[in-house]
């Protein structure tokens, strides 16, 4: 995060009611803590949870956990396989106590098929993940030199000691993950190829089947990273925000992919039957011990052992990036929501608004003064009353969704702030512009909205800049440029070699 001693400041001409003020763009969870930068395969970038919008699927919830940030499409020759020594999980709390009641566990396997060519009478192993024998168009294609598969278990109760059962499809408990989008010569129709990896998921105890997909996707997050971390080296707009111009200029992730774990589950399978609000978050864990092999052969570079240790955690966007202090970022990634009392000061007495006030003091921007920040407690730790707060709730950080709120036929990128109660912070959809929303909430927007301010315990006089439409200048919405109409909803990953 930037400090008050800046070499450059944004010069802004600001009409409080209508002109946008440029502020730090914030990656949702890309490289957000010191330790996770050393473990990119288990770095969660974004987490989404929303009522499915595809026709005939609105009685389902879609959960998407994205991992491995900042993937260059041309990042070969080994590309971006998931970690076979890691445990990836999506947790659901359906009674408000801050503890998982349902967990979906994903484990991966990476197989080298060891394709060989006869060169001068000798069989020699090839160096690539494809063997050149033809177009790759189906799972486990003979033209692929590697095969990546995964299993999914559902655990009810404690994630380690609860009742564990396998999720299957057509009687099989193993699912294929598609190769990354190498290029159009290797995979001529990547959409069709990837769609063959969308599986019907028979989830024990859930009745109606769901769906599952794991694979590379275009990173759906929109953010201006470079200038932000260069001490907010951004010239603020002096006129009203132009989404078309700003989108082209500011999206640092326009050329990046991610790897997505996408799961669609019947609502009735996730709720407890009495409480419509569910909370969820994603984690990744590694074994406590790693022994490096001094003479590795065929994917045996290390041996992992010991108990699982959680190293990544993501629920609400932006929390570890801009709310949790630097000294506690690794601790947060290792913690559970039920233990979030140790981080309460970061929410009730946040530093980001104070930094914003310093950076934009010349424009008269003021941080909210309602301490403790009950409005942020509602947004991040409990949910908002009458919207997505469970009847009995233990304050804990996670994404919360009221499953009784129907999907919107005309979603607004600002979610609840834009009058669309089916959007963030009631869950999170792919097209919700969480940076703009979070900036406005952090600066006190909830205190200025009649009716809402009563629910979150603050008044407009405590948020003198709460009515300003703060923005990072990077535009995101629910249009077809950002969101597909069908599961898994995320756009096709960018090709490493776009030429035909």
């Amino acid at each position: 995060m930037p400090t008050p001693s800046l070499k450059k400041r944004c010069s802004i001409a600001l009409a409080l009611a209508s002109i946008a003020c440029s502020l730090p763009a914030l990656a949702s969870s890309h490289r957000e803590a010191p330790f996770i930068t050393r473990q990119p395969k288990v770095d969660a970038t974004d987490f989404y949870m929303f009522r499915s919008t595809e026709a005939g699927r609105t009685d389902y919830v879609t959960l998407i956990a994205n991992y491995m940030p900042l993937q260059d499409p041309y990042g070969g020759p080994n590309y971006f396989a998931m970690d076979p020594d890691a445990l990836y999980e999506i947790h659901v709390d359906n009674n408000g106590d801050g503890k998982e009641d349902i967990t979906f566990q994903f484990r991966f396997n990476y197989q080298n098929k060891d394709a060989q060519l006869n060169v001068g009478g000798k069989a020699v192993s090839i160096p690539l993940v494809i063997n050149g024998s033809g177009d790759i168009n189906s799972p486990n294609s003979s033209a692929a030199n590697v095969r990546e598969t995964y299993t999914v278990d559902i655990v009810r109760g404690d994630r380690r000691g609860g009742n564990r059962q396998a999720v299957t499809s057509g009687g099989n408990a193993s699912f294929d993950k598609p190769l990354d989008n190498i290029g159009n010569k290797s995979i001529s129709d990547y959409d069709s190829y990837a769609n063959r990896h969308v599986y019907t998921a028979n989830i024990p105890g859930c009745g109606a089947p769901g769906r599952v997909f794991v694979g590379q996707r275009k990173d759906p997050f929109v953010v201006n990273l470079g200038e932000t971390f260069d001490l907010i080296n951004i010239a603020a707009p002096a006129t009203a925000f132009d989404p078309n111009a700003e989108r082209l200029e500011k999206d640092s992730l326009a050329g990046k992919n991610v790897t997505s774990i996408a799961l669609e589950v019947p609502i009735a399978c996730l709720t407890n039957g009495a409480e419509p609000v569910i909370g969820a978050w994603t984690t990744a864990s590694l074994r406590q011990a790693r022994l490096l092999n001094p003479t590795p052969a065929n994917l045996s570079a290390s041996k992992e052992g010991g108990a699982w240790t959680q190293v990544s955690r993501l629920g609400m966007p932006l929390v570890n990036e801009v709310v949790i202090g630097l000294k506690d970022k690794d601790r947060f990634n290792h913690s559970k929501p039920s233990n979030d009392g140790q981080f309460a000061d970061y929410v009730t007495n946040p530093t980001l608004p104070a930094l914003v006030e310093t950076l934009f003091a010349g424009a008269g921007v003021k941080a909210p003064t309602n301490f403790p920040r009950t409005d942020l407690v509602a947004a991040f730790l409990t949910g908002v009353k009458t919207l997505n707060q469970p009847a009995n709730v233990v304050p804990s950080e996670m994404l919360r969704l009221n499953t009784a709120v129907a999907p919107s036929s005309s979603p607004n990128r600002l979610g609840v702030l834009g009058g669309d109660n089916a959007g963030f912070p009631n869950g999170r959809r792919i097209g919700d512009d969480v940076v703009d929303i979070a900036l406005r909430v952090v600066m006190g927007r909830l205190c200025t909205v009649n009716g809402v301010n009563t629910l979150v315990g603050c008044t407009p006089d405590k948020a003198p800049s709460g009515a300003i439409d703060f923005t990072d200048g990077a535009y995101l919405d629910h249009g077809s440029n950002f969101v597909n109409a069908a599961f898994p909803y995320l756009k096709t990953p960018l090709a490493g070699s776009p030429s035909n």
Side-chain angles (χ1 to χ4, degrees):
M1 282 302 298
T3 64
S5 56
L6 298 180
K7 295 179 180 178
K8 296 185 179 180
R9 295 179 184 273
C10 301
S11 60
I12 57 179
L14 187 64
L16 296 186
S18 62
I19 304 299
C21 171
S22 180
L23 278 177
L26 310 166
S28 187
S29 188
H30 299 65
R31 295 173 56 85
E32 79 288 348
F35 179 76
I36 204 63
T37 63
R38 292 186 271 162
Q39 304 289 339
K41 285 184 178 290
V42 289
D43 185 358
T45 68
D46 286 282
F47 181 61
Y48 301 88
M49 177 171 61
F50 54 91
R51 285 271 299 265
S52 297
T53 57
E54 187 178 344
R57 308 294 291 188
T58 57
D59 287 337
Y60 289 76
V61 167
T62 294
L63 304 111
I64 301 174
N66 287 344
Y67 281 86
M68 283 190 280
L70 306 175
Q71 295 180 17
D72 290 319
Y74 48 82
N78 290 293
Y79 298 94
F80 302 96
M82 299 293 269
D83 188 346
D85 294 313
L87 175 64
Y88 300 85
E89 297 177 292
I90 296 174
H91 312 278
V92 177
D93 168 19
N94 60 24
N95 59 14
D97 65 356
K99 300 177 181 179
E100 66 270 14
D101 297 294
I102 299 170
T103 295
F104 296 96
Q105 297 181 334
F106 292 76
R107 294 289 311 274
F108 291 85
N109 181 65
Y110 191 80
Q111 175 190 355
N112 175 15
K113 297 182 182 179
D114 194 23
Q116 299 178 341
L117 293 179
N118 188 308
V119 182
K122 291 186 176 182
V124 182
S125 299
I126 68 171
L128 304 176
V129 298
I130 51 176
N131 60 37
S133 65
D135 188 13
I136 296 174
N137 54 25
S138 62
N140 193 27
S141 167
S142 60
N145 192 32
V146 298
R147 184 184 189 187
E148 193 174 4
T149 59
Y150 62 97
T151 60
V152 188
D153 287 339
I154 181 172
V155 181
R156 290 182 168 84
D158 181 81
R159 66 178 81 173
R160 299 295 177 257
N163 177 37
R164 178 178 287 100
Q165 296 174 285
V167 175
T168 61
S169 182
N172 297 316
S174 180
F175 305 85
D176 272 276
K177 173 180 172 291
L179 293 176
D180 292 344
N181 197 355
I182 297 169
N184 297 331
K185 186 175 182 179
S186 300
I187 309 174
S188 61
D189 187 349
Y190 195 87
D191 274 338
S192 295
Y193 168 66
N195 285 339
R196 292 188 175 97
H197 296 80
V198 175
Y199 295 95
T200 297
N202 298 309
I203 307 171
C206 282
R211 289 185 290 188
V212 64
F213 169 84
V214 177
Q216 190 180 53
R217 297 281 90 188
K218 169 68 183 73
D219 193 329
F221 201 65
V222 173
V223 65
N224 180 3
L225 283 174
E227 286 79 4
T228 293
F229 296 118
D230 182 25
L231 299 176
I232 318 180
N233 189 10
I234 302 170
T239 58
F241 179 55
D242 179 353
N244 294 313
E246 293 297 318
R247 178 175 62 224
L248 295 175
E249 179 182 354
K250 300 293 185 181
D251 182 12
S252 299
L253 301 183
K256 304 295 183 180
N257 295 324
V258 292
T259 300
S260 299
I261 297 173
L263 187 64
E264 188 182 56
V265 184
I267 291 174
C269 182
L270 296 176
T271 60
N272 65 15
E275 172 60 69
V277 175
I278 58 174
W281 67 101
T282 183
T283 64
S285 300
L286 298 173
R287 295 294 189 182
Q288 286 183 344
R290 171 174 294 173
L291 182 65
L292 299 183
N293 186 348
T295 56
N298 196 18
L299 307 179
S300 64
S302 66
K303 181 69 175 179
E304 322 292 320
W308 290 115
T309 300
Q310 180 182 305
V311 297
S312 178
R313 168 188 170 186
L314 180 60
M316 291 282 285
L318 310 173
V319 171
N320 205 0
E321 281 240 319
V322 300
V323 177
I324 304 298
L326 182 60
K327 73 181 181 68
D328 283 327
K329 289 183 179 296
D330 286 333
R331 181 187 295 272
F332 181 83
N333 267 352
H334 284 69
S335 68
K336 294 183 177 181
S338 56
N339 296 325
D340 280 347
Q342 64 185 313
F343 306 115
D345 287 350
Y346 290 122
V347 177
T348 60
N349 298 74
T351 57
L352 179 60
L355 290 171
V356 170
E357 178 178 320
T358 299
L359 297 171
F360 296 97
V365 172
K366 298 291 185 183
T369 58
N370 59 308
F371 299 113
R373 288 290 302 273
T374 54
D375 55 325
L376 296 188
V377 170
F380 288 104
L381 300 182
T382 65
V384 178
K385 291 179 181 178
T386 76
L387 176 63
N388 65 339
Q389 184 180 119
N392 300 294
V393 62
V394 174
S396 46
E397 190 280 308
M398 63 182 70
L399 199 60
R400 288 184 171 86
L401 173 69
N402 187 341
T403 61
V405 177
S408 173
S409 59
S410 54
N412 188 296
R413 74 181 186 92
L414 296 176
V416 174
L417 293 188
D420 179 4
N421 284 349
F424 184 78
N426 182 29
R428 180 186 176 189
R429 302 166 301 191
I430 297 164
D432 288 342
D433 197 338
V434 296
V435 174
D436 282 7
I437 298 168
L439 287 174
R440 298 176 194 189
V441 169
V442 163
M443 293 306 292
R445 176 59 62 88
L446 298 181
C447 301
T448 70
V449 180
N450 289 335
V452 175
N453 56 1
T454 301
L455 296 175
V456 299
C458 63
T459 53
D461 62 293
K462 299 294 185 180
S465 298
I468 298 175
D469 288 335
F470 293 106
T471 179
D472 71 330
Y475 187 76
L476 174 64
D477 70 9
H478 290 266
S480 58
N481 286 333
F482 296 99
V483 185
N484 283 337
F487 180 85
Y489 298 102
L490 299 164
K491 303 296 289 186
T492 303
L494 302 172
S497 170
S499 300
N500 290 319

